[in-house]
Amino acid sequence: MRITTENRDRNGHVLVWDQPGLEAFHKQQKPASKFPARYFVTFMLFMGMANAYVMRTNMSVAIVAMTNQTYVKQGHEDIFDDECPNTNYTDLPKEADGEFKWTSSQQGYVLSSFFYGYVITQIPFGILAKKYGAMKFLGWGMLLNSVFAFLVPLGAREGGIIGLSVIRFIQGLGEGPIVPCTHAMLAKWIPPNERSRMGAAVYAGAQFGTIVSMPLSGLLAEYGFDGGWPSIFYVFGIIGTVWSIAFLIFCYEDPNSHPTIDEKERKYINHSLWGTSDIKIPPVPWKSIMKSLPFYAILLAHMGHNYGYETLMTELPTYMNQVLRFSLKANGILSALPYLAMWLFSMFISFIADWMISSSRFTHTTTRKIINSIGQYGPGIALIAASYTGCDRVLTLAILTIGVGLNGGIYSGFKINHLDITPRFAGILMAITNCSANLAGLLAPIAAGNIIEGKPTIAQWQIVFFIAAFIYIGCGTFYNIFASGERQPWDNPENDDIVQSPSANGHQNSVPITNIVTESRH
């Protein structure tokens, strides 16, 4: 039996993946609105993701300008001068020393402090978003992140390492909702047949934010006000605050709560989703998830990616300054090149992945493994190669740009794989894997800072790159062995509880959850 019901609980939406005739319905009913509301939500989520990564990466560039490089290099001038002298680079201006005497390991703790706050809010916000809605958690969280950006200069100047780390920790707390809440909103707004494209577009905001943050941070550090580097946090704090307020005013939790959405679009979205307050949402099968090898394949791949990615994102500006001897302005601009490549490649490879699946030449499992191998083996091999290029700036930057660019394959690899194995619990799984991955990621700057402490030579940086490379390759290999693109048995809708719906004669009719389709409220 198939019934319709009012959707009074907008948090009850669940994806329809196998509903018969859904594709034909989409083709017939898709509205012809010039700029649909769901596209605006997608754009705002893209900008939110970009803002989130701006707040992460701006400290990587700022800390180079904040610290006294003479102090960091004290007693090791011969190492710097002998390995990569400025010969033939006399056009690059000499950098002014920053105001803080922090060692490499202390800088590593500052860079990682953000992630302590970020990781502890992942799973709680994933659960809260499922129960209470995602929009306000996301908007207010990013507003907290943005407002505390204004306090970064004060925290550093008045509180030193501890004061700055506390401010960055609170910023991390505010950014915690970004991934689980973005995932939850995409599930409510984007029909299944559009989710791959829209999801890739939203998460590409991570690279866009990095591309904007690094060069602009470099320019602000060199030419900005209040000593240069503080202007980085003032400018991006203003941008983040404006976005957060606009998001809270103009975006809505779902189509049913949107007051001006076109009725055709509302019906189109609602007919692509199903759920009702009358049904009992199945409990999360925690025991089955904890025994699932495909889940651990995604988890390890996510952790390996984050360790390698955070090594590059947080330490690349420092490497380019200490070893390759780039100026601060050039540092920010050139550090962004690898992420521009990643952004472009992630969009390109997503179309290839869709073609592989739609052509029926590759299964979901094979497609995920091939594309993910490109995304994790590519940067791993590039890091190994870059560790042998010595002082060749052009070759080093070219290799790192190619490697990070290939890293874009992970979005069509393990990241979308959550939805393959468990469509209904993908948000919870994303919160778990993202939390664990960021725990691994926060170790990256700490490990790098301690390895290069007092001896930031090419040999020590080679160790940093080798560790990240082997983690990339090892976790990618585990994924290739145990990953799956098939829906797992523990997410079988046929095992759901039966709901009781009153019939016309007052008796109860048993209706499987999978047959319920949501009708929009008029």
Side-chain angles (χ1 to χ4, degrees):
M1 178 183 293
R2 173 174 173 156
I3 67 172
T4 61
T5 183
E6 280 193 350
N7 177 28
R8 296 185 179 87
D9 183 359
R10 60 175 177 265
N11 296 320
H13 288 331
V14 186
L15 302 180
V16 172
W17 292 90
D18 304 310
Q19 185 172 310
L22 182 62
E23 185 176 354
F25 175 83
H26 285 157
K27 292 180 180 179
Q28 295 174 5
Q29 300 294 327
K30 189 171 182 178
S33 175
K34 291 183 178 180
F35 195 75
R38 67 188 185 281
Y39 290 0
F40 177 75
V41 171
T42 300
F43 172 74
M44 290 298 288
L45 290 174
F46 164 81
M47 293 303 297
M49 192 66 65
N51 265 308
Y53 271 75
V54 162
M55 295 300 182
R56 288 192 193 192
T57 57
N58 55 17
M59 180 58 76
S60 302
V61 177
I63 203 165
V64 177
M66 295 168 67
T67 54
N68 187 309
Q69 297 300 322
T70 301
Y71 175 81
V72 175
K73 302 172 187 178
Q74 192 170 5
H76 303 280
E77 293 86 352
D78 55 328
I79 295 176
F80 278 81
D81 293 339
D82 289 344
E83 286 201 311
C84 292
N86 279 333
T87 306
N88 299 326
Y89 300 105
T90 55
D91 56 312
L92 297 178
K94 180 177 175 58
E95 306 294 351
D97 275 332
E99 56 192 281
F100 301 104
K101 293 182 177 181
W102 295 337
T103 64
S104 296
S105 59
Q106 288 176 321
Q107 294 177 49
Y109 288 115
V110 169
L111 291 170
S112 65
S113 59
F114 179 94
F115 296 96
Y116 288 104
Y118 180 73
V119 298
I120 65 175
T121 51
Q122 292 290 302
I123 296 177
F125 275 120
I127 297 172
L128 289 171
K130 184 176 180 63
K131 188 173 183 179
Y132 298 109
M135 192 205 74
K136 289 186 178 179
F137 286 117
L138 177 54
W140 285 105
M142 286 301 294
L143 183 61
L144 176 70
N145 186 356
S146 302
V147 169
F148 269 80
F150 295 108
L151 301 179
V152 167
L154 179 66
R157 286 169 171 165
E158 299 297 328
I161 289 284
I162 295 177
L164 177 58
S165 296
V166 169
I167 296 297
R168 291 292 289 175
F169 173 80
I170 295 173
Q171 284 191 278
L173 289 175
E175 193 165 308
I178 187 69
V179 171
C181 290
T182 293
H183 220 59
M185 287 197 68
L186 285 173
K188 295 174 184 178
W189 272 98
I190 309 302
N193 67 319
E194 298 180 6
R195 187 159 283 121
S196 295
R197 300 190 301 275
M198 298 298 190
V202 167
Y203 288 110
Q207 280 68 57
F208 180 77
T210 305
I211 293 164
V212 170
S213 173
M214 285 191 165
L216 186 54
S217 294
L219 291 171
L220 288 170
E222 187 160 337
Y223 302 114
F225 53 91
D226 193 21
W229 66 265
S231 62
I232 295 173
F233 302 99
Y234 296 142
V235 170
F236 288 127
I238 292 172
I239 295 173
T241 300
V242 170
W243 176 87
S244 300
I245 294 173
F247 181 79
L248 289 168
I249 293 175
F250 297 113
C251 288
Y252 296 87
E253 183 70 31
D254 58 30
N256 287 336
S257 61
H258 197 301
T260 60
I261 188 174
D262 183 87
E263 192 61 28
K264 290 182 179 179
E265 184 181 9
R266 191 198 310 272
K267 289 182 177 180
Y268 169 60
I269 295 172
N270 283 336
H271 276 86
S272 302
L273 305 168
W274 58 278
T276 173
S277 59
D278 296 330
I279 69 170
K280 180 181 178 182
I281 299 175
V284 180
W286 293 111
K287 290 184 179 179
S288 297
I289 291 174
M290 292 300 107
K291 296 177 182 178
S292 173
L293 277 175
F295 161 68
Y296 286 110
I298 296 173
L299 177 65
L300 265 292
H302 204 160
M303 293 176 69
H305 159 73
N306 268 47
Y307 185 93
Y309 186 76
E310 297 300 340
T311 296
L312 287 165
M313 189 169 67
T314 60
E315 297 300 324
L316 188 55
T318 302
Y319 176 74
M320 294 178 71
N321 175 264
Q322 291 185 349
V323 176
L324 300 183
R325 313 294 295 278
F326 280 108
S327 71
L328 189 60
K329 180 173 65 175
N331 192 343
I333 296 173
L334 295 175
S335 293
L337 285 179
Y339 304 101
L340 174 61
M342 185 176 177
W343 181 32
L344 296 175
F345 185 74
S346 66
M347 301 305 295
F348 167 76
I349 200 68
S350 66
F351 285 98
I352 299 298
D354 281 345
W355 172 83
M356 291 173 68
I357 294 172
S358 62
S359 67
S360 300
R361 299 179 183 180
F362 302 88
T363 65
H364 277 75
T365 301
T366 303
T367 300
R368 299 297 178 229
K369 290 181 177 180
I370 292 174
I371 302 299
N372 196 72
S373 293
I374 296 172
Q376 296 202 280
Y377 291 161
I381 294 171
L383 281 167
I384 294 173
S387 68
Y388 287 104
T389 56
C391 297
D392 191 327
R393 297 178 173 187
V394 175
L395 181 59
T396 302
L397 187 60
I399 290 174
L400 289 175
T401 298
I402 294 172
V404 176
L406 293 175
N407 200 187
I410 60 101
Y411 291 108
S412 297
F414 76 79
K415 276 213 169 179
I416 201 68
N417 198 197
H418 300 77
L419 294 172
D420 293 329
I421 68 171
T422 173
R424 296 181 300 172
F425 306 114
I428 297 294
L429 255 64
M430 174 62 85
I432 295 172
T433 64
N434 200 49
C435 174
S436 304
N438 279 280
L439 285 172
L442 68 85
L443 295 176
I446 295 176
N450 281 279
I451 290 170
I452 64 174
E453 175 74 57
K455 44 185 175 180
T457 63
I458 291 177
Q460 295 304 110
W461 276 103
Q462 188 177 59
I463 295 174
V464 173
F465 286 169
F466 260 84
I467 292 173
F470 284 131
I471 290 176
Y472 257 133
I473 294 171
C475 292
T477 300
F478 187 90
Y479 181 86
N480 283 338
I481 295 173
F482 297 108
S484 173
E486 303 302 319
R487 190 169 186 169
Q488 296 302 291
W490 41 266
D491 189 27
N492 187 348
E494 294 179 0
N495 297 330
D496 289 347
D497 294 336
I498 301 297
V499 320
Q500 301 296 320
S501 64
S503 63
N505 58 13
H507 296 291
Q508 299 289 324
N509 292 327
S510 295
V511 183
I513 291 176
T514 50
N515 289 337
I516 297 176
V517 179
T518 301
E519 185 73 34
S520 66
R521 224 175 355 191
H522 296 288

